[in-house]
Structure formats: C-alpha cells, structure tokens
Amino acid sequence: MRRGRVMKSTGSWYLVEAADGDGETFRCRIRGRLRLKGIRTTNPVAVGDWVVFDTEETEEGAVGTITAVEPRKNYVIRRATNLSREAHIIAANVDQAFLVVTLDFPPTSPEFIDRFLVTCEMYRVPVTILLNKIDLFGDPAFAGAVADFHAVYEGAGYRVLEVSALYGQGMDRLEEMMKGRVSLFSGHSGVGKSTLIGTLIPEFEIRTGDISDYHRKGKHTTTFSEMFPLPGGGYLIDTPGIKGFGIVDADAKELARYFPDLFREAAECRFYNCTHTHEPYCAVKAAVEAGRIAPERYVSYLKMMEDDDKYRK
C-alpha cells in the first residue's frame, strides 16, 4: 500500500502523485466498494485528496487502485447539475482559494461571488478575490466602479487584489501569497483565469483562445480539476469555469453566520433568532440603512434565504 495525493480527476481515472517518490505519478481507479459507502457527491474522490492506493504491473505499465480516502481538513463543494446526486466536491485539503472576477468583459455577478464566499466560509477556506483585467479599467469613467468593488468586499472582510496577466500587475504579490501553499483557483468562464495560470506556470501550456477574447468572453478549455506544482513551491488547483454556484448544507437559520459583515452586526439584534428579513429592531437591516453593510451583499443574502430548493434542505 502507498500514500499519495490526487492531482487530477477525469471522473473515472485519477492521477495520483506518490508521497514517497520524487513526483512519481500513477493512473488509478477507485475500488468498487469505495463508491458505495453512502457517498452523496458525484465524486467520492476529489483533487487534493490524500489517498491510499496499491499498484499492479500491466502491459501499459503500473496502474493503481485507490482503496481509501484520508479524512479531509476542508473542501470546496457546490451543488451538482446532476440531480441524482447532491453535490460535487471541487477540491479538497486547500490552504486558500482565489476567486477570479471581472467587472466587465464579462461581468461577474455579486450573487455568484457571494455564494462562493459563503461556501468557503462554511468550510473554513480563506479567500482572496482577484479583480482581473484591471488594465481594461484605466479610464477614469471606471474608477468609481473599481473603488465601489473594493469598498463592498474589503468592507465585508475580504482581501481584494487587482491583477492583470497581460501587464503583470499584481502578479509578484500573488506569487508570494501562493508560495508553499495549496491554492484553489476558481471563477466564471471568460474571466481570464487560464491566462493568469499560464503566467504563474510559464512552462505549462494552457489554451486560452484568441487574444481578442481577453476583452470579451474568452474561452476556457479546462474540463476537469487539476493540481499543478508551482515554480516557487506549493500547488495550484485549476477548476473548470463555473456558470453557477449552488450552496450545499446551508441552513437558512445559520446563513448569516457565513456573511462576516452581517454576522458582526447580528449580535445587536433584539431577537436571538432574527433572520434579518422582517423582524423589528434588526441590527443588520439598520446597518444596511446606515451604510455599514453594502446593499448588494444584503440582497444576495435575501436571495439565498428565499431559495428553498437549495438552502432549506
């Protein structure tokens, strides 16, 4: 038996890097019994998982079988599009997450950002927001939008880093933040995530489409999550472009706990079980009116509260 970390998942095969070797990897399948132990996700094994596996020699070389998955310290999960299962684990055992967003070309919706942030709060994954393609917003007409974005999310307690892969802005700081750590990269298709990764890992060729797409939608060819070693040490987990982000296991009564800006005000509510929707003497609603909580953050919270199918199970 050997121990290793899952570097790539294709749904049926897993690429596992052995912990006792010099970067040696093995193509592995899952032992059948592992699939049947009450797994409620579409993927019982995720990129970043530490696993136990054994190998056997075949005509195509050594092939492995994953026999066990070690307990995870955390993971990032979203509701799966396949309704026969509850959820899909994007990655496991991560030290931090970077959410790549854009104000335009294409715009990233606040609700998408907030759903991702709530999920990371639930599973204790620190998040930095990468405001990408910042070179496209040098016109003074965009200065207000950039400042407003900083105010909303830095006011909520998150770090926002402006980056531009084309011009290198913010890249040195980003590389320093990632050294020696396992970092998850996520975001909508077209936000320039692949271009950022190609800058961080120069020797790795990642297809990003025509350069003209940088100003519009872009193309994203990542199909499965995959982990890559970084030149300066550490690992980067690339994920497929995500169109939507459904939250799993979010109890409506506890949802405000995962909005740091709402939660710090909620202690002053008159009622201990205040949902911050209709109750009188609600400190959260008062904070929104006073400008201490950004209205768009509160709107995202209300939308999540109203979504029975996804948040009240």
Side-chain angles (χ1 to χ4, degrees):
M1 292 291 182
R2 305 180 70 173
R3 181 175 183 262
R5 179 158 51 186
V6 178
M7 304 293 287
K8 184 176 182 179
S9 165
T10 64
S12 56
W13 285 95
Y14 300 85
L15 186 67
V16 178
E17 181 182 71
D20 56 0
D22 186 18
E24 185 179 13
T25 59
F26 298 88
R27 292 176 70 242
C28 297
R29 288 189 181 276
I30 302 175
R31 174 170 289 174
R33 290 196 300 272
L34 192 62
R35 296 177 180 271
L36 304 176
K37 294 182 178 180
I39 298 296
R40 298 193 306 169
T41 61
T42 59
N43 54 332
V45 178
V47 169
D49 271 330
W50 286 98
V51 299
V52 177
F53 69 103
D54 53 26
T55 60
E56 61 178 337
E57 289 296 328
T58 69
E59 294 180 356
E60 300 177 351
V63 174
T65 301
I66 296 172
T67 59
V69 179
E70 295 184 3
R72 298 166 174 140
K73 75 172 185 179
N74 61 25
Y75 51 89
V76 177
I77 189 170
R78 73 184 182 101
R79 188 168 297 277
T81 55
N82 179 356
L83 297 180
S84 65
R85 300 285 185 175
E86 182 174 343
H88 179 82
I89 298 175
I90 297 174
N93 301 315
V94 300
D95 295 318
Q96 60 186 343
F98 291 92
L99 179 62
V100 185
V101 306
T102 46
L103 294 179
D104 206 343
F105 316 115
T108 305
S109 72
E111 187 177 356
F112 173 84
I113 297 172
D114 293 334
R115 289 182 177 186
F116 183 89
L117 296 177
V118 165
T119 295
C120 289
E121 289 287 343
M122 290 177 64
Y123 296 101
R124 298 176 182 172
V125 178
V127 184
T128 296
I129 301 172
L130 299 181
L131 185 54
N132 195 23
K133 305 186 183 181
I134 197 64
D135 54 284
L136 300 180
F137 304 102
D139 190 306
F142 290 108
V146 173
D148 288 346
F149 187 89
H150 277 274
V152 169
Y153 288 101
E154 289 176 345
Y158 295 99
R159 177 165 44 192
V160 178
L161 177 62
E162 297 180 6
V163 293
S164 168
L166 289 187
Y167 293 92
Q169 182 174 343
M171 298 306 293
D172 288 345
R173 185 179 175 193
L174 178 57
E175 289 177 0
E176 187 63 31
M177 292 169 63
M178 299 177 68
K179 282 184 179 178
R181 310 185 76 187
V182 177
S183 303
L184 171 71
F185 264 52
S186 192
H188 275 316
S189 296
V191 295
K193 178 166 61 70
S194 295
T195 305
L196 287 174
I197 294 173
T199 303
L200 293 165
I201 311 175
E203 67 275 13
F204 179 76
E205 291 186 9
I206 197 161
R207 297 169 292 173
T208 58
D210 297 333
I211 192 66
S212 61
D213 288 328
Y214 183 80
H215 299 80
R216 293 298 169 188
K217 294 189 301 181
K219 298 177 182 178
H220 195 298
T221 57
T222 304
T223 305
F224 302 99
S225 294
E226 185 168 2
M227 179 183 287
F228 303 100
L230 290 164
Y235 291 87
L236 181 154
I237 300 177
D238 182 27
T239 62
I242 299 172
K243 294 180 180 179
F245 206 94
I247 297 177
V248 179
D249 294 332
D251 186 336
K253 296 178 181 178
E254 299 291 327
L255 187 59
R257 183 180 299 274
Y258 307 115
F259 281 77
D261 39 352
L262 274 66
F263 186 61
R264 65 174 174 247
E265 300 284 350
E268 301 301 321
C269 288
R270 172 71 63 88
F271 304 103
Y272 76 94
N273 59 347
C274 184
T275 64
H276 321 302
T277 57
H278 63 278
E279 297 88 348
Y281 310 108
C282 173
V284 168
K285 290 190 293 182
V288 175
E289 294 174 2
R292 295 194 302 275
I293 294 175
E296 46 266 72
R297 287 276 291 170
Y298 183 61
V299 169
S300 288
Y301 168 76
L302 293 179
K303 287 182 178 178
M304 294 183 199
M305 286 287 289
E306 293 169 358
D307 194 340
D308 291 343
D309 289 340
K310 292 182 181 178
Y311 303 109
R312 295 188 181 180
K313 287 192 174 182

